[in-house]
Amino acid sequence: MVGLAGLRRRGALALGLATVLAGCTSTAKSTDSKEVRTDTEPLERRFVTLGPLSDAHWLGVVLGTGSRVPGPTDVRVVGFAQLRAGAVASIVGASQLGFQPAMPSRLPAELMRFMPENARWVRSGSFDGQVTGETYSGAFYFDLGADWVYFDTINPSAVAGSGE
């Protein structure tokens, strides 16, 4: 038979366990409703090599929000932007970085309608490394016909001195 003191002890333990478990739930905001952003300043601070951008459509998606263990949050920054006229030809033509035809993959559904029609995408792993400085993962695809870039990065950092 369990006495009153035993019940109180079990109740206190249960309450303590519930408090600990509640503290381990994720506090990151939900990514269920992803809002497409159109501002270019955050992109230009991170992707300085691309120069001025316009007509951007992108997402900042918090990854790993289903985890019950608190920790660092990874953010996927993915989307499209228009480069200044002639920028793609300059980047691809002037470099010896081995650009090859490639199709962007893992395009979020929210961005499908912004995919340029009839795009001829090229990509270079060496160029990706130049933009990221090898400090974060990222892929940059260029449309040879219309000066578009598709970027797909994880935790892109702003370049020192760019305001962040």
Side-chain angles (χ1 to χ4, degrees):
M1 178 157 122
V2 177
L4 190 54
L7 286 175
R8 285 185 186 148
R9 194 172 321 144
R10 285 186 184 172
L13 286 172
L15 180 61
L17 180 59
T19 302
V20 167
L21 288 176
C24 288
T25 59
S26 175
T27 58
K29 57 183 181 174
S30 171
T31 59
D32 293 339
S33 63
K34 299 174 190 157
E35 183 181 329
V36 176
R37 295 180 59 172
T38 58
D39 50 332
T40 59
E41 184 183 5
L43 303 175
E44 290 171 341
R45 283 194 315 258
R46 286 161 176 78
F47 312 139
V48 237
T49 308
L50 301 179
L53 303 173
S54 63
D55 200 20
H57 295 91
W58 61 283
L59 298 169
V61 182
V62 177
L63 302 176
T65 57
S67 174
R68 293 179 111 341
V69 179
T73 301
D74 289 328
V75 177
R76 179 182 183 204
V77 177
V78 57
F80 297 96
Q82 181 82 60
L83 280 67
R84 70 185 184 292
V88 169
S90 176
I91 291 169
V92 173
S95 72
Q96 302 298 317
L97 298 175
F99 280 90
Q100 297 293 320
M103 276 300 291
S105 61
R106 301 183 330 127
L107 181 66
E110 297 85 354
L111 295 175
M112 292 290 243
R113 63 189 166 134
F114 302 108
M115 170 79 101
E117 290 186 30
N118 303 315
R120 295 177 304 158
W121 298 108
V122 295
R123 177 179 175 216
S124 163
S126 297
F127 182 81
D128 295 347
Q130 277 187 355
V131 176
T132 65
E134 305 289 337
T135 60
Y136 62 89
S137 65
F140 298 85
Y141 299 80
F142 296 99
D143 175 14
L144 292 172
D147 291 306
W148 283 98
V149 63
Y150 171 76
F151 49 90
D152 192 348
T153 62
I154 305 291
N155 298 330
S157 53
V159 173
S162 65
E164 239 181 69

